[in-house]
């Protein structure tokens, strides 16, 4: 079965390029535009009994940031789903915050498709 | 990132939006320079723009925006004030970014390199020396690297210790994925999982990780490539990677590499084993002398000893790993041959035909040779107790230290060898005994001095072989066992009447009863919610015994008597409804003729029988094997009384035959595991007999009545 990834980022460019890459790699992608939207998407997946193999989330977002979003995910049945956080060099301290919240790994923007897939391989079982 | 057309279009419209937002914020800041929300919006716009440009591959835009972002970070953190000049500069930056975006949208280059550098310098000047140096520090090598593809020149061997956090799964991580990633880099030479942290079943959580690993990998990859596998986990877990190529060179046997100089010298015939073991003994003494003279810190010596032990453990594993199963079957066969021989010998004793003298003599020789054969084969599977003792030496020291007590640990008989399986099953009992010695036996230095004893207490571990058994002694010179304490506890538990007078032996027996512990601390320290009863249970399973000798203020000695191997067992042969059973002899407390009139019933099904002043419940064997026979004891002629240490009961049987020595074959291998049956064996007449597992039986029959025998007395009085 297709593996399902939830991608949360406030930048349309990021959403478009990352989803493009993930779909090319054979993943099914659900997008969310910020932390709040992410929580709603997670809750609706929970209700529908959908599966989720990975969450990729930006940290710096309006409304609810990535750290807040992760702690909400940890309250759902998806709490053991691996989470990759997207950050930039300027926000290196954010990595620790993400990890403390329960993230599994991180990726520095901007990145190449191979780097994205390389990071995913570290936390998601191959198909 | 590959920018498909759609993404590019999205990038352009998003950038337009972001630039508009940035401009709005800047204009707002002109009138309210402190407005945090405007600073935040400005920062996020530039930050998002930078990432987006990077993703679609416009590196000049991304680089320039990055500089602006840095400047804004200084504003955001209050290091730089919002001035008219700054706003002018930033508005110029926004315009410049817009011009670059316009250029690329028309298929032109982002910017003239010279102009770009000029613009960058402008921002850098504003950032100041401080800002630039912090900027440089913030631009390390790209943090996500592809796994280096260039192989190192030759193969390397790395030893990798993986000890993950217990909460590992809670971060969405999976140790097996990491092992998978590692396995792609080379070939695993050795994988040793450490299961020692696994808790008891009732304390086990499926969401926690208890296993750690030690892996040796042979790879062409560099150290960095190995390290990369652990990129996401190395900061909050204990990951150690060690290049051990020097020790594991190509072409040299790994097992040989694990061997020590002394062993190699013996193998090469340079020295004999005696010379080596003498020298090693001196070495040990050397360590102790050095500590006593203050030439080396005990901690340092311990470290070395621990290292040595570690390497020995590895050595043992590597040499045994190959054929331990084969050795097991050899041991069993040798023992079976022995038993067969003694049976034939017994037959010939009755034989009175020609050549009787010669036959008897030859048989005797044969039996002797076989005995030696058995012993030699059994030896293959035996190890010196040294490793076990060293472990407890450390444990004793640590425990004493925790409680501010001083001890000296003496180890004797380190060379005494014991069957691997027996050693493994003895570890737990020893652990509890050592804890008992330190917790309850040993006094504090002050208490000791008040009694006129030296402030430092002594714990001695001693092992020796005598009459085909191994003896392990744990002796302390502490305060001795508190008999009044035991008595009080036994009364509290309702095991005895307050005015009952009991022998010291009987009182000591309570110590090994489940539910007994003179202080709740024992269970805390042992961490398993059990006390000394584990000692007895484990020893019973092994066919061992424990003897306690204690004297007030002189100390306590526990003496464990262990079988040389775990496979031999003394049993009593009984028959029930035509089925032959073997009852482990060490738990049999007596046999009696069965008198149906003495049976008393109470409750729905429970029936009891008087034995030595108590009423003991009866366990009906016909119930556990569904053989369709009536369960009444109409035919029973005898009773075998059992005491497992936790519970005493009687088994009605049809016939009691002779005690024997047997080799137990576990049922699991040939059949599914059956509760209440420890295994099966083939008797001299070729028939199969079932060996009872008394602890299992006890659970089957008396699951709900572990309150002890006193209850039966009470019930009896109430009737
Ligand atoms: Mg963002």
């Amino acid at each position: 079965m297709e593996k399902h990834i939830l991608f949360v980022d406030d930048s349309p460019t990021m959403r478009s390029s990352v989803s493009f890459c993930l779909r090319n790699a054979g993943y099914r992608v659900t997008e969310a535009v910020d932390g709040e939207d992410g929580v709603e998407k997670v809750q609706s997946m929970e209700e529908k009994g959908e599966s989720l193999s990975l969450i990729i989330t930006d940290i710096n977002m309006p409304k609810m940031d990535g750290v807040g979003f992760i702690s909400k995910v940890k309250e759902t049945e998806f709490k053991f789903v691996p989470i990759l956080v997207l950050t930039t060099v300027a926000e290196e301290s954010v990595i620790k915050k993400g990890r403390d919240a329960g993230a599994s790994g991180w990726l520095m923007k901007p990145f190449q498709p191979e780097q994205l897939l390389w990071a995913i391989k570290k936390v998601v079982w191959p198909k | 990132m590959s920018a498909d057309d759609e993404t590019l279009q999205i990038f352009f419209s998003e950038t337009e939006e972001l630039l508009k937002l940035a401009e709005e914020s800047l204009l707002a800041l002109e009138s309210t320079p402190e407005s945090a929300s405007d600073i935040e919006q400005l920062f996020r716009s530039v930050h998002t723009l930078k990432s987006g440009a990077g993703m679609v591959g416009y590196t000049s835009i991304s680089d320039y925006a990055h500089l602006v972002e840095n400047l804004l970070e200084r504003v955001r953190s209050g290091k730089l004030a919002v001035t008219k000049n700054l706003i002018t500069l930033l508005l110029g930056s926004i315009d410049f970014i817009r011009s670059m975006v316009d250029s690329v949208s028309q298929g032109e280059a982002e910017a003239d390199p010279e102009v770009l550098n000029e613009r960058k310098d402008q921002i850098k000047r504003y950032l100041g020396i401080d800002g630039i140096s912090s900027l440089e520090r913030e631009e390390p090598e790209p943090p996500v690297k592809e796994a280096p593809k260039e192989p190192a020149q030759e193969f390397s061997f790395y030893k990798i210790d993986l000890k993950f956090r217990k909460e590992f799964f809670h971060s969405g991580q999976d140790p097996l994925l990491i092992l998978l990633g590692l396995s792609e880099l080379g070939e695993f030479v050795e994988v040793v999982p450490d299961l020692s942290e696994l808790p008891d079943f009732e304390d086990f959580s499926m969401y926690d990780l208890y296993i750690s690993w030690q892996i040796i990998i042979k790879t062409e990859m560099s150290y960095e490539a190995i390290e990369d596998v652990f990129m996401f986990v190395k900061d909050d877990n204990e990951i150690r990677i060690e290049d051990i190529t020097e020790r594991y060179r190509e072409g040299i046997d790994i097992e040989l590499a694990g061997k020590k100089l002394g062993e190699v010298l013996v193998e090469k015939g340079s020295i004999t084993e005696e010379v080596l073991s003498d020298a090693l003994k001196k070495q040990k003494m050397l360590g102790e002398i050095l500590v006593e003279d203050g030439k080396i810190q005990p901690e340092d010596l311990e470290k070395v000893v621990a290292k040595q032990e570690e390497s020995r453990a590895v050595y043992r594993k590597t040499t045994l790993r190959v054929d331990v199963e084969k050795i097991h079957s050899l041991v069993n066969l040798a023992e079976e041959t022995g038993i067969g021989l003694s049976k034939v010998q017994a037959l010939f004793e009755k034989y009175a035909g020609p050549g009787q003298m010669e036959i008897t003599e030859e048989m005797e020789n044969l039996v002797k040779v076989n005995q030696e054969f058995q012993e030699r084969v059994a030896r293959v599977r035996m190890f010196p107790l040294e490793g076990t003792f060293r472990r407890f030496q450390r444990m004793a020291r640590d425990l004493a230290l925790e409680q501010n007590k001083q001890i000296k640990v003496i180890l004797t008989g380190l060379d005494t060898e014991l069957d691997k399986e027996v050693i493994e099953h003895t570890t737990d009992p020893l652990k509890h005994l050592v804890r008992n010695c330190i917790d309850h036996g040993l006094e504090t230095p002050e208490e000791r001095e008040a009694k006129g004893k030296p402030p430092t207490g002594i714990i001695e571990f001693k092992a020796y072989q005598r009459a085909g058994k191994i003896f392990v002694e744990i002796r302390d010179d502490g305060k001795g066992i508190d008999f009044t304490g035991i008595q009080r506890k036994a009364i509290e538990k309702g095991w005895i009447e307050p005015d009952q007078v009991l022998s010291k032996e009987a009182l000591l027996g309570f110590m090994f009863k489940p539910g007994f512990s003179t202080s709740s601390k024992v269970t805390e320290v042992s961490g398993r919610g059990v006390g000394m009863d584990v000692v007895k249970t484990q020893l019973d399973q092994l066919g061992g015994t424990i003897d306690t000798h204690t004297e007030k203020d002189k100390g306590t000695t526990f003496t464990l008597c262990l079988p040389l191997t775990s496979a031999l067992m003394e049993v009593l042969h009984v028959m029930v409804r035509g089925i032959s059973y073997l009852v482990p002899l060490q738990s049999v407390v007596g046999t009696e003729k069965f008198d149906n009139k003495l049976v008393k019933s109470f409750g729905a099904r429970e029936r009891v029988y008087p034995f030595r002043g108590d009423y003991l419940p009866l366990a009906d064997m016909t119930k556990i094997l569904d053989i369709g026979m009536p369960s009444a004891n109409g035919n029973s002629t005898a009773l075998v009384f059992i005491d497992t240490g936790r519970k005493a009961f009687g088994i009605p049987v049809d016939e009691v035959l002779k005690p024997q020595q047997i080799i137990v074959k576990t049922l699991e291998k040939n059949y599914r595991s059956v509760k209440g049956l420890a295994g099966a064996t083939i008797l001299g007449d070729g028939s199969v007999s079932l060996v009872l597992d008394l602890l299992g039986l006890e659970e089957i029959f008396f699951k709900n009545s572990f309150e002890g025998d006193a209850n039966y007395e009470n019930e009896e009085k109430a009737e």
Side-chain angles (χ1 to χ4, degrees):
Chain A
M1 208 182 72
E2 250 181 343
K3 294 222 178 200
H4 185 193
I5 298 179
L6 172 65
F7 179 51
V8 190
D9 201 310
D10 61 324
S11 159
T13 307
M14 288 300 298
R15 289 201 299 274
S16 173
S17 57
V18 168
S19 298
F20 180 73
C21 163
L22 292 176
R23 288 186 181 120
N24 266 352
Y27 293 103
R28 183 159 76 88
V29 186
T30 298
E31 292 178 12
V33 300
D34 56 41
E36 267 181 27
D37 188 26
V39 172
E40 275 167 34
K41 294 270 160 47
V42 165
Q43 281 165 351
S44 103
M45 283 178 210
E46 205 174 14
E47 276 163 29
K48 289 184 207 151
E50 281 186 75
S51 76
L52 189 58
S53 302
L54 174 69
I55 294 169
I56 305 176
T57 179
D58 185 23
I59 288 296
N60 195 329
M61 294 183 289
K63 289 192 189 167
M64 184 190 284
D65 71 357
V67 175
F69 167 65
I70 293 172
S71 22
K72 286 284 180 200
V73 170
K74 294 290 166 184
E75 293 166 11
T76 71
E77 64 174 69
F78 294 118
K79 63 179 163 193
F80 295 112
V81 170
I83 301 175
L84 288 178
V85 300
L86 300 187
T87 175
T88 62
V89 179
E91 307 168 297
E92 223 169 336
S93 65
V94 163
I95 292 175
K96 200 187 170 309
K97 277 189 217 148
R99 204 167 51 203
D100 290 346
S104 329
W106 60 90
L107 196 58
M108 297 277 192
K109 290 182 290 190
F111 44 80
Q112 295 296 314
E114 311 83 71
Q115 290 172 310
L116 175 61
L117 299 177
W118 182 79
I120 292 176
K121 201 179 157 198
K122 282 193 173 314
V123 291
V124 180
W125 277 93
K127 280 170 278 187
Chain B
M1 193 123 190
S2 70
D4 55 310
D5 281 352
E6 197 191 329
T7 302
L8 271 183
Q9 288 317 312
I10 291 172
F11 169 70
F12 289 132
S13 67
E14 186 192 1
T15 306
E16 210 181 301
E17 187 67 24
L18 290 171
L19 288 172
K20 214 194 288 171
L21 276 175
E23 249 167 4
E24 267 172 35
S25 323
L26 275 171
L27 294 174
L29 281 171
E30 213 158 22
S31 47
T32 49
E34 314 259 287
S35 161
S37 64
D38 286 313
I39 294 175
E40 191 57 43
Q41 177 170 309
L42 176 61
F43 177 85
R44 183 176 299 117
S45 309
V46 176
H47 169 88
T48 307
L49 194 151
K50 175 204 74 174
S51 302
M55 290 304 286
V56 294
Y58 297 138
T59 49
S60 298
I61 299 175
S62 176
D63 286 354
Y64 182 76
H66 184 193
L67 276 176
V68 178
E69 183 192 6
N70 268 290
L71 192 59
L72 291 172
E73 170 57 40
R74 291 177 68 76
V75 173
R76 192 162 73 143
S77 59
K79 286 184 191 132
L80 194 64
V82 179
T83 60
K84 272 250 150 39
N85 273 348
L86 184 69
I87 290 177
T88 311
L89 172 81
L90 288 169
L91 282 170
S93 301
I94 299 299
D95 285 342
F96 181 57
I97 293 174
R98 183 176 283 130
S99 74
M100 285 196 282
V101 174
D102 284 347
S103 303
V104 294
S105 70
Q106 282 150 33
E108 289 164 25
E110 292 161 76
D112 181 323
E114 260 179 49
V115 178
L116 180 64
N117 278 336
E118 225 170 84
R119 288 289 191 157
K120 279 186 172 176
D121 286 345
Q122 201 184 11
I123 308 272
K124 281 181 188 168
R125 273 198 298 279
Y126 235 94
L127 276 169
I129 297 165
D130 228 29
I132 290 171
S133 64
S134 84
L135 217 168
E136 272 157 5
R137 253 185 285 123
E138 277 174 9
E139 287 202 74
E141 85 274 30
V144 173
K145 295 164 291 197
E146 285 172 63
K149 298 222 168 64
E150 249 173 70
Q153 298 230 304
E154 272 176 25
F155 283 112
S156 298
F157 290 87
Y158 294 97
K159 188 175 104 185
I160 302 164
D161 287 292
L162 302 176
K163 191 163 170 34
F164 299 117
R165 288 175 305 135
K166 212 172 142 195
E167 303 78 21
F168 198 65
F169 296 120
H170 295 257
S171 310
Q173 269 138 344
D174 187 339
L176 296 181
L177 258 178
I178 287 168
L179 295 187
L180 181 76
L182 194 60
S183 72
E184 284 172 359
L185 298 184
E187 174 196 340
F188 285 174
V189 178
E190 201 176 306
V191 180
V192 185
D194 176 0
L195 306 178
S196 61
E197 296 293 315
L198 271 179
D200 286 345
F201 188 66
E202 64 262 33
D203 300 326
F204 182 87
S205 158
M206 62 183 284
Y207 301 115
D208 285 338
L209 178 58
Y210 304 100
I211 308 172
S212 42
W213 286 267
Q214 191 179 83
I215 293 164
I216 293 173
I217 185 172
K218 178 186 175 190
T219 176
E220 293 175 301
M221 296 294 184
S222 65
Y223 184 91
E224 288 72 29
I226 306 274
E227 219 182 11
D228 260 2
V229 172
F230 307 107
M231 175 161 160
F232 291 156
V233 298
K234 64 173 185 257
D235 290 337
D236 45 3
N237 295 282
E238 285 173 50
I239 315 283
R240 279 211 320 267
I241 309 168
E242 191 191 342
D243 186 342
I244 52 163
T245 315
E246 286 301 300
R247 269 151 52 198
Y248 279 72
R249 236 180 273 243
E250 279 269 64
I252 293 186
D253 189 351
I254 288 154
E255 285 179 8
L256 202 74
K259 285 182 185 174
K260 295 198 301 289
L261 176 67
E263 285 156 9
V264 178
L265 286 175
V266 171
E267 260 168 36
K268 294 203 165 176
S270 310
I271 54 171
T272 65
E273 278 204 27
E274 285 72 30
V275 171
L276 173 65
S277 81
D278 281 351
L280 286 178
K281 264 182 208 143
K282 278 179 196 149
Q283 213 178 2
K284 254 174 256 149
M285 281 167 59
L286 179 73
E288 275 157 30
I289 291 165
L290 286 175
V291 170
E292 274 163 26
D293 287 357
K295 295 272 166 27
I296 178 171
Q297 292 299 308
E299 300 82 39
D300 293 340
L301 179 66
E302 255 182 66
K303 269 182 213 154
V304 176
V305 169
K307 264 260 162 67
Q308 201 177 17
E309 180 48 38
E310 203 180 309
S311 96
R312 274 178 202 169
V314 171
Y315 167 69
R316 277 174 207 147
K317 268 179 222 145
T318 46
T319 45
L320 243 184
R321 189 179 47 184
V322 194
D323 46 12
V324 69
E325 275 308 313
K326 288 181 193 163
I327 293 169
H328 283 329
S329 61
L330 269 186
V331 172
N332 284 350
L333 282 174
E335 282 167 353
E336 259 173 73
T337 316
I339 290 173
L341 274 178
S342 18
K343 279 181 192 140
V344 177
Q345 192 181 24
L347 288 177
F348 274 123
E349 268 162 23
K350 292 180 205 147
Y351 172 77
Q356 190 247 354
M357 282 288 283
E358 287 88 340
I359 289 175
T360 314
E361 216 170 285
E362 279 307 311
M363 274 310 297
E364 264 168 30
N365 276 337
L366 203 50
V367 167
K368 242 185 237 159
V369 170
N370 180 266
Q371 260 164 7
E372 187 166 353
F373 174 54
Q374 273 187 53
E375 226 183 277
R376 296 257 170 132
V377 178
R379 285 234 171 261
V380 178
R381 190 167 79 150
M382 287 167 89
F383 290 114
L385 268 169
E386 179 169 0
T388 314
F389 275 9
R390 293 272 176 219
R391 199 135 53 96
F392 288 118
Q393 180 182 26
R394 298 195 54 180
M395 193 188 107
R397 280 186 180 168
D398 292 348
L399 272 179
L401 207 68
E402 265 172 35
Q403 304 176 16
N404 296 320
K405 293 174 179 175
Q406 292 172 11
I407 52 155
K408 184 178 168 177
V409 184
I410 303 171
L411 308 177
T412 33
L414 294 176
D415 303 339
T416 310
E417 290 190 331
L418 205 49
D419 185 286
K420 185 170 169 275
E421 248 174 80
V422 179
I423 289 186
E424 278 163 11
H425 287 98
T426 314
T427 310
D428 254 12
L430 284 175
K431 211 189 308 181
H432 281 95
L433 292 174
V434 173
R435 277 175 174 151
N436 190 69
C437 284
I438 306 280
D439 288 353
H440 305 303
L442 193 68
E443 311 97 325
T444 61
E446 299 76 42
E447 285 170 332
R448 291 181 65 88
E449 272 174 336
K451 287 178 187 170
K453 290 159 117 178
T456 302
I458 289 174
I459 284 206
E460 184 178 7
F461 294 84
K462 189 173 173 183
Y464 51 91
Q465 182 173 354
R466 188 172 297 159
K469 299 264 184 190
I470 299 290
F471 292 84
V472 177
E473 277 183 22
I474 301 177
R475 177 179 72 83
D476 69 55
D477 70 342
K479 55 176 168 272
I481 289 170
D482 172 18
F483 284 104
T484 47
I486 297 181
Q487 182 142 23
R488 201 176 49 235
K489 197 85 184 182
I491 295 169
E492 251 174 55
K493 296 266 166 198
W495 292 336
I496 52 171
E497 299 296 324
D499 50 355
Q500 214 168 330
V501 181
L502 285 152
S503 67
K504 288 188 169 178
E505 286 71 29
L507 284 171
L508 283 174
F510 288 124
M511 259 178 69
F512 298 99
K513 239 174 127 76
F516 180 91
S517 70
T518 44
S519 89
S520 57
K521 214 174 155 211
V522 176
T523 43
E524 272 165 39
V525 173
S526 86
R528 281 168 170 255
V530 284
M532 299 278 275
D533 57 307
V534 167
V535 177
K536 190 151 187 330
T537 325
Q538 290 257 13
L539 286 174
D540 280 352
Q541 282 169 356
L542 263 185
T545 58
I546 182 162
D547 183 58
T548 313
H549 179 82
T550 185
E551 222 173 308
K552 190 170 165 43
D553 289 333
K554 291 266 171 62
T556 306
T557 307
F558 295 109
T559 308
L560 275 59
C561 172
L562 304 165
L564 272 174
T565 70
S566 60
L568 273 181
M569 200 185 238
E570 307 257 353
V571 291
L572 185 65
H573 188 191
V574 301
M575 299 294 287
V576 182
R577 301 286 186 275
I579 293 180
S580 152
Y581 293 99
L582 301 170
V583 189
L585 204 55
Q586 91 230 3
S587 301
V588 174
V589 287
T591 55
E592 255 179 39
K593 257 179 92 176
F594 184 69
D595 183 350
N596 214 6
K597 288 195 289 281
L598 291 177
V599 179
K600 284 197 187 310
S601 306
F602 69 82
R605 264 169 282 160
E606 194 113 59
R607 299 178 315 139
V608 295
Y609 197 91
F611 180 72
R612 295 185 192 163
D614 279 341
Y615 273 87
L616 300 186
L618 297 182
D620 187 349
M621 288 303 302
T622 56
K623 276 185 193 160
I624 62 158
L625 280 182
D626 190 17
I627 50 175
M629 292 280 185
S631 62
N633 318 305
N635 303 333
S636 297
T637 60
L639 271 167
V640 179
F641 291 100
I642 305 293
D643 188 353
T644 63
R646 295 199 299 195
K647 182 146 190 90
F649 56 95
I651 302 177
V653 300
D654 302 343
E655 202 178 347
V656 177
L657 302 163
K658 267 204 317 200
Q660 331 201 336
Q661 223 187 27
I662 53 139
I663 300 155
V664 185
K665 308 238 179 283
T666 52
L667 275 182
E668 272 169 285
K669 273 179 205 150
N670 310 313
Y671 191 55
R672 66 194 164 89
S673 162
V674 177
K675 198 173 198 176
L677 295 179
T681 197
I682 296 168
L683 298 177
D685 61 0
S687 69
V688 176
S689 188
L690 301 170
V691 185
L692 296 183
D693 155 30
L694 296 171
L695 289 170
L697 265 194
E698 172 196 300
E699 277 175 40
I700 293 171
F701 286 108
F702 313 110
K703 219 183 287 170
N704 304 318
S705 55
F706 272 130
E707 288 76 38
D709 314 331
N711 270 7
Y712 292 98
E713 277 180 340
N714 295 341
E715 295 266 3
E716 174 66 13
K717 276 170 201 153
E719 257 181 41

